[in-house]
Amino acid sequence: ASRVMVASRNYADFASEATFEVKKCDLHRLEEGPSTTAVMTREEGLHYYKTMQTIRRMELKSDQLYKQKIIRGFCHLYDGQEACCVGLEAAIKPTDHVITAYRAHGFTYARGVPVREILAELTGRKGGCVKGKGGSMHMYTKNFYGGNGIVGAQVPLGAGIALACKYFGKNEVCLTLYGDGAANQGQIFETYNMAALWKLPCIFICENNRYGMGTSVERAAASTDYYKRGDFIPGLRVDGMDVLCVREAAKFAVEHCRAGKGPIVMELQTYRYHGHSMSDPGISYRTREEIQEVRSKSDPITLLKDRMVNNNLASIEELKEIDVAVRKEIEEAAQFATTDPEPPLEELGNHIYFNEPPFEVRGPNQWIRYKSVS
């Protein structure tokens, strides 16, 4: 009871909101850019902190389960880049649309999928968000279209989603994400062209984590100004390690699209702590010291934590309690993901089409038949 009284007394002492200076974005074909000041309420700050901490712990648990050979196949982790998905989600509505590449766990969680369903999907269980059939690279939920395994292929799909938004007269936007490694592909420039011609409400977002697989951006790209790559499309270069900077830039980009001005390109300068995938130790093309320097100077969670504590939006003890609750949630989710049954073989052909009558699907040979149910 005394602890409750202390908590309630301290709560009254906290500021309800604070104003922060954020890094100015580099601009391309824009006279004005996003605001360099950001107002964050205490409630927003606690939500961002818990979300980023949950994604961080979920990815560390995924690393552990992979090394135990409970998660198999491809697995690309998002720790270090949490400010990108959390800042973007803070700027859009649930009715807006998101499509990304295979480093998708953070976006899946930010779009509303519980941790237990994400981890169960990673372990191939029935309780996974796509019933154990998609794994790490193919997660979906309402208005979130994956998780796409083919490098860069999600970019034209994202423009198609934006075209549907415009066609049906919905005041919605599509966030279409890709990495610096995919940014040199021809299909991306073809998509820019169509999106600009048709003034599609599409925000093209390059998550530049400085290394496309094991190759640094300087060795892979003649121009590393990814925000200028749209040429005739306006662009922004954003500090992707600052959740408030990402949020303000995304708000600006969303307003641009909703005003009917067509597409815009965003480059989020970020960093991944893990290797490209679980098969990459991540230190053959960069040093441990480089990773440690980013962790110590630019970590998105630490940056938010310091801002909140220094501006009286939260106490260290309160944030530690969130950390404990997050770890408990992750452990319980991992327990579910390792004990939930695998999907039965007879469900292999299900969900090929949405809202269609059942039909037969041939199995591995002509004598095995499965029934596909929507």
Side-chain angles (χ1 to χ4, degrees):
S2 61
R3 186 177 177 185
V4 172
M5 287 175 66
V6 170
S8 62
R9 187 179 70 243
N10 288 345
Y11 177 81
D13 294 337
F14 289 129
S16 60
E17 63 178 42
T19 303
F20 302 92
E21 294 292 320
V22 295
K23 186 178 176 182
K24 185 179 180 181
C25 296
D26 296 320
L27 307 179
H28 172 64
R29 286 184 174 268
L30 289 166
E31 291 182 5
E32 291 184 9
S35 174
T36 54
T37 60
V39 176
M40 181 175 69
T41 67
R42 168 179 154 81
E43 187 180 352
E44 286 171 340
L46 291 173
H47 173 67
Y48 301 158
Y49 182 83
K50 183 177 186 294
T51 306
M52 288 201 289
Q53 194 67 276
T54 301
I55 294 168
R56 175 72 55 87
R57 290 287 158 195
M58 178 175 71
E59 296 299 61
L60 294 177
K61 177 56 70 174
S62 300
D63 171 277
Q64 182 185 338
L65 293 172
Y66 196 96
K67 287 170 179 170
Q68 293 172 348
K69 297 188 176 180
I70 297 170
I71 295 172
R72 309 305 299 266
F74 293 105
C75 186
H76 306 80
L77 302 182
Y78 200 70
D79 49 320
Q81 299 185 207
E82 296 91 349
C84 296
C85 65
V86 175
L88 291 170
E89 188 64 38
I92 61 175
K93 300 175 183 177
T95 50
D96 290 320
H97 309 268
V98 179
I99 187 168
T100 188
Y102 38 71
R103 202 178 305 280
H105 309 163
F107 284 98
T108 309
Y109 180 72
R111 289 258 86 185
V113 178
V115 177
R116 59 187 272 144
E117 291 186 20
I118 295 171
L119 289 182
E121 190 56 43
L122 284 166
T123 57
R125 309 302 172 113
K126 241 181 122 173
C129 56
V130 288
K131 303 187 185 299
K133 296 179 181 180
S136 174
M137 297 199 291
H138 302 285
M139 296 186 180
Y140 306 90
T141 190
K142 187 169 177 61
N143 298 331
F144 177 64
Y145 307 85
N148 289 263
I150 306 301
V151 176
Q154 72 280 4
V155 178
L157 295 179
I161 295 164
L163 176 61
C165 293
K166 184 169 184 177
Y167 183 83
F168 291 114
K170 296 179 177 179
N171 192 24
E172 297 167 359
V173 301
C174 181
L175 274 55
T176 301
L177 292 111
Y178 54 97
D180 52 278
N184 302 314
Q185 290 194 356
Q187 62 182 324
I188 290 176
F189 295 93
E190 292 176 53
T191 304
Y192 286 164
N193 183 58
M194 289 186 285
L197 273 174
W198 301 334
K199 289 194 179 302
L200 301 183
C202 192
I203 305 173
F204 296 105
I205 303 169
C206 176
E207 287 185 292
N208 176 8
N209 60 27
R210 292 170 45 182
Y211 296 95
M213 295 189 76
T215 306
S216 67
V217 292
E218 292 81 11
R219 291 180 60 218
S223 169
T224 57
D225 291 335
Y226 295 103
Y227 71 110
K228 294 181 179 178
R229 292 285 193 90
D231 186 10
F232 37 80
I233 300 175
L236 301 165
R237 182 157 60 191
V238 184
D239 180 358
M241 301 300 273
D242 180 351
V243 68
L244 293 182
C245 195
V246 174
R247 186 191 73 178
E248 294 308 303
K251 282 182 179 177
F252 177 89
V254 167
E255 286 173 14
H256 176 95
C257 284
R258 293 204 207 278
K261 296 177 182 178
I264 190 167
V265 175
M266 285 175 66
E267 175 190 344
L268 303 182
Q269 293 190 311
T270 185
Y271 198 83
R272 55 171 164 79
Y273 293 160
H274 267 84
H276 170 74
S277 68
M278 285 302 296
S279 60
D280 168 23
I283 51 170
S284 58
Y285 49 85
R286 59 182 185 177
T287 62
R288 293 182 190 274
E289 289 73 25
E290 178 186 302
I291 302 167
Q292 191 53 45
E293 185 179 11
V294 175
R295 280 183 176 274
S296 61
K297 293 182 179 178
S298 306
D299 184 78
I301 298 176
T302 304
L303 177 63
L304 178 63
K305 178 181 180 179
D306 291 346
R307 276 177 166 165
M308 292 184 71
V309 172
N310 294 339
N311 288 271
N312 197 33
L313 290 174
S315 66
I316 291 175
E317 293 73 23
E318 184 178 21
L319 297 178
K320 281 182 179 175
E321 285 183 9
I322 291 174
D323 295 347
V324 170
V326 164
R327 290 186 186 193
K328 183 173 183 288
E329 180 187 1
I330 299 298
E331 288 303 321
E332 289 173 354
Q335 180 67 23
F336 173 75
T338 52
T339 55
D340 193 49
E342 294 181 358
L345 199 58
E346 56 268 21
E347 289 186 10
L348 189 65
N350 285 0
H351 309 111
I352 293 175
Y353 296 110
F354 173 69
N355 205 21
E356 286 284 322
F359 62 95
E360 282 195 338
V361 181
R362 199 180 85 174
N365 63 55
Q366 60 182 324
W367 297 283
I368 297 176
R369 299 276 175 170
Y370 298 108
K371 183 164 279 189
S372 181
V373 180
S374 296

